[in-house]
Amino acid sequence: MNSIVDFLNAIIWNYVLIYGLIAVGIYFTSRLGFIQFRHFPEFVRSIVRAPVKDSSGITPLQALCTSLASRVGTGNLVGVAVALFLGGPGALFWMWVVAALGMATAYAESSLAQLYKVRDQNGQYRGGPAFYIARGLNAPWAAAFFSICLIIAFGLVFNAVQANSIADAVQGAFGIDKVWVGLAIAILSGIVIFGGIRQIAQVSEYIVPFMAVLYIGMAVYVMIANITEVPTVLALIVKSAFGFEQAAGGIAGAMLNGVKRGLFSNEAGMGSAPNIAAVATPTPHHPSSQGFVQALGVFIDTILVCTATGIMILMSGVMTPGGELTGTPLTQEALTVHIGEFGRYFIAIAIFFFAFTSIIGNYAYSENAMVYLKIDNKGTITILRLAVLLMVVWGAYTTVDAVFNLADAAMGLMASVNLIAIVLLSGTVAKLTKDYFEQKNKGEPRFDPDQYPELKGKIEYSIWAKKDLK
């Protein structure tokens, strides 16, 4: 069984997804007229506009923070260190490239999630890839397969991985036994997730911006304190990316590790973030607006947070060719060089909050999948929540590679299904984008379902009708 899963992962991650995600990113970047570069200010405006009051959904800022809660996890601190260790400084450059392309993909999948969203039995917005696969492509079997993979990967196993990272960091910095760390994480997570999607969004809205600003601020401090070294480090990153500077792995190693870690970190095209994008009430009331929000999320995750980690490591001088430090110890040791022993504790605290918010964000995605599968009654949702908490406790003190490999395979399969779906629906994405900016040139964009006769019977008309706004 293990050999089958390993073989499947090798095919999916080393060939299908690495090339598929990049190809899809290039495709949407080109088809949408380099939207992430030409219209970046619109991404920011989609967040700062005053939200519309709507009891059925959450605000765009809450949707952004919840998606960042899932995106900004241990991959931004630990994963970047691993990428630099295996691929050298140039890996960071390829993470930037992947993020730049991924912004267009993230825009496409989240715009579709908004367009095809529905109301659940409690009157709350729900949606995501499962809904646009089933409704847009008339492929409910593929949507069900996607949903099952999402619950396995994000709802259960990846939450065990996040808990394990927290336990490692806390034990290393404070000497607390992993079992107690796991129980504490489970209790905190339970308090949040038993409050439902809206409470998850509210908690994320407070924690994620605070920790992101604090962490990026620390990186800015480090750069200011070592300002003379900044040009040298930036030049090293670019040179290593193209093999002009001797580094671990050479150009192939830098590209492969940068691309892998970048894709894993920002999740663009994976089909995860659209699950929370669909829950938001966009401002202005047009599907493209929420696409802008989630594209901005990719920028924040990789260009800001991952870069902060990479810069602090490279400026510290602790990463040496053939060195043994990698992962959490490398990141902790790097910050210790910059600010003393407190750096070790700071990274442990950062990992705790980033990984904790990833747990509650991942859970939110899996609850959406339960809605699509029509098993979202009170009993089954309670079972899911308890299963998530048990995985958190289990993951904190043990690691079983076979189970984690299975989660990688599940995520790879769901991402493959999602990529095919958004490419097949790319014509709709292009029409939405053109419609948004044509309306913007005349005033406030507003989605009119009557202008999309081809979507009749596929989307919920009442959600987009003018009378629906409160």
Side-chain angles (χ1 to χ4, degrees), residues 319-463:
M319 193 182 76
T320 56
E324 297 181 356
L325 284 177
T326 186
T328 302
L330 176 57
T331 308
Q332 288 181 314
E333 193 62 33
L335 199 54
T336 299
V337 169
H338 294 302
I339 63 173
E341 194 61 26
F342 175 69
R344 197 177 310 279
Y345 304 123
F346 179 84
I347 292 299
I349 293 169
I351 286 176
F352 174 84
F353 280 105
F354 284 152
F356 168 70
T357 53
S358 286
I359 290 171
I360 63 176
N362 288 345
Y363 165 76
Y365 297 162
S366 63
E367 189 175 299
N368 250 24
M370 297 282 281
V371 173
Y372 173 76
L373 294 171
K374 292 182 172 58
I375 51 174
D376 58 321
N377 59 66
K378 188 175 182 179
T380 53
I381 290 295
T382 299
I383 291 172
L384 174 66
R385 291 169 177 171
L386 292 174
V388 169
L389 300 183
L390 288 173
M391 289 296 287
V392 165
V393 175
W394 173 77
Y397 69 87
T398 187
T399 55
V400 180
D401 290 339
V403 176
F404 294 158
N405 286 342
L406 181 62
D408 280 341
M411 186 171 75
L413 290 170
M414 87 180 211
S416 299
V417 172
N418 184 57
L419 288 178
I420 294 170
I422 61 176
V423 169
L424 292 176
L425 293 169
S426 60
T428 301
V429 176
K431 184 174 179 178
L432 285 172
T433 308
K434 182 181 179 182
D435 176 42
Y436 181 92
F437 287 109
E438 284 181 349
Q439 288 194 57
K440 185 177 181 297
N441 291 333
K442 300 174 184 177
E444 180 85 351
R446 168 79 203 206
F447 180 74
D448 181 2
D450 291 330
Q451 300 301 313
Y452 293 75
E454 70 276 15
L455 298 179
K456 187 175 181 180
K458 295 183 177 182
I459 62 174
E460 288 203 8
Y461 184 91
S462 64
I463 288 178

Side-chain angles (χ1 to χ4, degrees), residues 63-390:
L64 172 65
C65 291
T66 306
S67 67
L68 284 174
S70 177
R71 281 192 176 109
V72 181
T74 54
N76 298 74
L77 283 73
V78 181
V80 173
V82 172
L84 293 176
F85 176 78
L86 296 176
L92 189 57
F93 175 87
W94 293 109
M95 291 182 77
W96 295 340
V97 172
V98 166
L101 295 173
M103 288 171 72
T105 307
Y107 162 79
E109 62 181 354
S110 290
S111 296
L112 288 170
Q114 264 288 310
L115 177 65
Y116 287 97
K117 68 184 179 183
V118 301
R119 280 194 179 92
D120 67 10
Q121 57 188 351
N122 299 312
Q124 302 298 303
Y125 293 142
R126 299 287 189 169
F131 292 83
Y132 58 69
I133 291 170
R135 289 168 161 252
L137 297 177
N138 194 27
W141 63 270
F145 177 75
F146 175 93
S147 298
I148 293 169
C149 288
L150 188 148
I151 292 171
I152 292 172
F154 282 85
L156 300 174
V157 183
F158 285 155
N159 281 339
V161 176
Q162 297 291 348
N164 188 265
S165 297
I166 295 175
D168 278 343
V170 171
Q171 185 182 59
F174 303 104
I176 301 174
D177 189 271
K178 289 184 177 183
V179 174
W180 295 112
V181 176
L183 288 172
I185 301 167
I187 291 171
L188 290 174
S189 300
I191 291 171
V192 178
I193 67 176
F194 270 89
I197 296 289
R198 193 171 292 277
Q199 183 161 295
I200 292 171
Q202 290 171 344
V203 171
S204 300
E205 186 178 16
Y206 287 108
I207 296 179
V208 172
F210 172 75
M211 281 308 303
V213 170
L214 188 64
Y215 189 74
I216 294 168
M218 179 64 75
V220 171
Y221 165 77
V222 169
M223 286 191 286
I224 292 175
N226 302 274
I227 193 66
T228 57
E229 298 178 31
V230 172
T232 303
V233 169
L234 293 177
L236 176 64
I237 292 170
V238 176
K239 289 179 181 178
S240 298
F242 295 98
F244 299 127
E245 189 81 22
Q246 188 64 34
I251 181 172
M255 184 182 297
L256 182 63
N257 285 284
V259 169
K260 275 187 175 181
R261 294 296 169 179
L263 295 174
F264 187 82
S265 177
N266 65 54
E267 298 181 16
M270 293 290 182
S272 52
N275 288 279
I276 200 66
V279 180
T281 300
T283 310
H285 205 59
H286 192 288
S288 289
S289 180
Q290 188 55 219
F292 300 145
V293 172
Q294 296 307 324
L296 182 64
V298 173
F299 177 86
I300 294 171
D301 171 87
T302 305
I303 306 300
L304 297 185
V305 181
C306 287
T307 298
T309 301
I311 292 294
M312 288 191 290
I313 291 174
L314 293 174
M315 282 187 167
S316 69
V318 298
M319 193 182 76
T320 56
E324 297 181 356
L325 284 177
T326 186
T328 302
L330 176 57
T331 308
Q332 288 181 314
E333 193 62 33
L335 199 54
T336 299
V337 169
H338 294 302
I339 63 173
E341 194 61 26
F342 175 69
R344 197 177 310 279
Y345 304 123
F346 179 84
I347 292 299
I349 293 169
I351 286 176
F352 174 84
F353 280 105
F354 284 152
F356 168 70
T357 53
S358 286
I359 290 171
I360 63 176
N362 288 345
Y363 165 76
Y365 297 162
S366 63
E367 189 175 299
N368 250 24
M370 297 282 281
V371 173
Y372 173 76
L373 294 171
K374 292 182 172 58
I375 51 174
D376 58 321
N377 59 66
K378 188 175 182 179
T380 53
I381 290 295
T382 299
I383 291 172
L384 174 66
R385 291 169 177 171
L386 292 174
V388 169
L389 300 183
L390 288 173

